[in-house]
Amino acid sequence: MTSALDAAAHIALTEQFAAHNYHPLPVVVAHGEGAWVTDVAGRRYLDCLAGYSALNFGHGHPRLLARAHAQLDRLTLTSRAFYNDQLGPFVRDLAALTGKDAVLPMNTGAEAVETAIKVARRYGQERHKVDPDRANIIVMAHNFHGRTTTIISFTTDEDAKRHYGPYTPGFRIVPYGDLEGVQAAMDDDTVAVLLEPIQGERGVVIPPAGFLAGVRRLCSAHGVLMIADEIQSGLGRAGATFACDLEDVVPDLYVMGKALGGGLVPVSAIATDAEVLSVITPGSHGSTFGGNPLAAAVGHEVVAMLETGEFQQRARDLGAVLAEGLAGLPEDRVLGVRVRGLWAGVDIDPAFATGRAICEALMQRGVLAKDAHGSTIRLAPPLVVTEDEVGLLVDALGEVLTGPAPTEAQH
Ligand SMILES: *Cc1c(COP(=O)(O)O)cnc(C)c1O
């Protein structure tokens, strides 16, 4: 299918009629297949953002498309007022994948985080008699958990928070990786510690070894729920089903999203113990689209694809290739590199270029990536890329870093 409008016209329409809550690279994508996308002019790009890891299985994975197509023709929505024949098998297998007893399905990541917060507060109040006005949740500085009013109440990103008050109380922020800080913040009114096992939006920041295990010990000792937001780090990206697995840590509650919908539909969920989820009663929480048959069918296929461990293995193998390539980048331009699975944060010397300028230069070389904050580039190609394609990415980045300093285009 060809588009009647050219790239400039599409960009103009979007800028005129859509809110300016993003600052996209000037590429207009019309088609995607596997790790590649094609723009309206027919130019191909290697997608090294992969929808912030929602596209872990690439664009249009045949298995996911087949399952979605079949379900589209049969049944798409019932609401939870009725049962449907897709939800049961999906939640059974997702529970098995997580090693937990029970699942609560939602749609977007932020909704799943909100669900985790509600479950933790209610569990603390009902089971541990925490005063509803005093219940607190310990969170990490530089977190990213989504965009709702409650979630931005405990962000440390001023752009995400400013002007949106009044803010939801009940959160205590400690430095990421600071176990003593977590311990000091924890008291009898603490119902949960909420963290990302790897901070993706911040630039793939990995906590010190032993931090997650330490939080696990503190939570167990104080009867506090450990909540792992694995929306971006989970489902294969980090080289394991969950990033927590890399540290042999089992949280009380997993929050999942992004890749759970296979890049086709929004699907999110929490998974936890039956005892914890038993606090949720009819009428106390819900979503019109949560657990809908189309989402459940796609999510079920995603779970089946993860059950074999094939994608987790690919992330480990290709991640090793990526790490080796990144280690060869010019040292005077790169301040730091962090890799976990097929997921990397590369800190470019800000004296050389901004992350945005680097991403624009990569785009000109046929590679799409996204800067995190400042001069950090986040790399997360779909787990279906080949070794050669990882090589293309590394070569393009190497070219940009050895050439003249790129500057941001005027806009
Ligand atoms: C993307 C993300 C979210 C929010 O998910 P949405 O689907 O955008 O609401 C929450 N937590 C983490 C770690 C994420 O990466």
Side-chain angles (χ1 to χ4, degrees):
M1 213 193 305
T2 52
S3 293
L5 302 174
D6 68 4
H10 282 290
I11 290 171
L13 279 179
T14 307
E15 293 302 318
Q16 185 178 350
F17 294 107
H20 297 166
N21 54 333
Y22 286 90
H23 178 32
L25 288 172
V27 56
V28 181
V29 177
H31 184 262
E33 190 177 350
W36 293 86
V37 294
T38 309
D39 73 8
V40 286
R43 178 151 186 223
R44 296 176 80 226
Y45 302 82
L46 186 63
D47 181 357
C48 294
L49 177 63
Y52 301 95
S53 291
L55 289 157
N56 277 359
F57 308 101
H59 295 268
H61 192 287
R63 240 180 111 169
L64 296 172
L65 279 187
R67 183 77 184 255
H69 282 145
Q71 191 58 40
L72 270 173
D73 289 336
R74 280 205 284 136
L75 180 73
T76 53
L77 186 66
T78 53
S79 90
R80 295 289 304 279
F82 317 122
Y83 290 90
N84 72 68
D85 69 354
Q86 297 299 309
L87 182 57
F90 167 51
V91 290
R92 174 197 62 203
D93 292 354
L94 183 57
L97 185 77
T98 61
K100 297 296 182 189
D101 307 319
V103 165
L104 198 165
M106 296 292 283
N107 312 287
T108 64
E111 285 175 317
V113 172
E114 290 275 352
T115 301
I117 291 168
K118 287 168 81 172
V119 167
R121 284 178 168 178
R122 189 162 178 185
Y123 184 74
Q125 289 165 26
E126 291 190 1
R127 296 300 145 84
H128 296 298
K129 305 295 168 230
V130 173
D131 182 334
D133 291 324
R134 299 174 57 94
N136 70 74
I137 294 177
I138 298 169
V139 298
M140 304 296 127
H142 305 289
N143 68 71
F144 184 84
H145 296 291
R147 303 298 201 162
T148 62
T149 36
T150 286
I151 291 171
I152 57 94
S153 294
F154 59 86
T155 180
T156 53
D157 175 353
E158 274 304 308
D159 288 336
K161 177 168 184 171
R162 206 182 320 119
H163 311 307
Y164 296 132
Y167 302 112
T168 306
F171 299 95
R172 294 179 176 174
I173 302 172
V174 304
Y176 190 54
D178 178 3
L179 191 57
E180 281 168 19
V182 175
Q183 185 160 20
M186 201 175 273
D187 62 20
D188 290 346
D189 298 321
T190 303
V191 297
V193 175
L194 166 64
L195 53 75
E196 298 153 86
I198 295 173
Q199 289 187 323
E201 291 303 301
R202 187 183 175 190
V204 192
V205 173
I206 301 161
F211 174 65
L212 297 177
V215 171
R216 175 65 281 178
R217 274 195 306 277
L218 281 176
C219 285
S220 299
H222 292 88
V224 165
L225 294 180
M226 180 178 180
I227 302 174
D229 179 347
E230 294 258 15
I231 290 171
Q232 192 166 156
S233 58
L235 309 185
R237 173 56 58 192
T241 305
F242 294 106
C244 283
D245 298 345
L246 301 171
E247 299 269 322
D248 287 321
V249 165
V250 180
D252 297 294
L253 193 155
Y254 290 103
V255 186
M256 295 163 283
K258 292 202 166 100
L260 192 58
L264 272 64
V265 283
V267 187
S268 68
I270 65 162
T272 184
D273 303 323
E275 198 246 334
V276 173
L277 208 52
S278 70
V279 298
I280 297 295
T281 48
S284 65
H285 189 54
S287 158
T288 301
F289 283 90
N292 73 73
L294 180 60
V298 172
H300 193 202
E301 203 64 33
V302 165
V303 170
M305 288 164 71
L306 288 167
E307 274 165 357
T308 66
E310 174 199 337
F311 289 94
Q312 296 88 324
Q313 183 68 46
R314 282 192 73 83
R316 285 195 294 278
D317 295 346
L318 292 161
V321 174
L322 179 62
E324 200 187 311
L326 295 178
L329 292 177
E331 278 173 31
D332 55 330
R333 301 274 151 86
V334 177
L335 302 182
V337 176
R338 297 165 297 280
V339 186
R340 277 291 183 280
L342 193 53
W343 202 22
V346 182
D347 303 329
I348 309 295
D349 182 355
F352 176 65
T354 62
R356 172 79 184 191
I358 300 280
C359 289
E360 288 177 359
L362 283 173
M363 186 190 95
Q364 271 145 27
R365 286 167 176 77
V367 170
L368 297 183
K370 173 82 174 80
D371 47 308
H373 292 279
S375 287
T376 297
I377 317 289
R378 172 204 357 219
L379 302 172
L383 307 181
V384 298
V385 281
T386 63
E387 221 177 294
D388 286 350
E389 288 162 349
V390 172
L392 285 181
L393 160 62
V394 171
D395 289 350
L397 191 54
E399 260 180 50
V400 172
L401 293 179
T402 46
T407 51
E408 293 181 30
Q410 294 303 313
H411 38 261

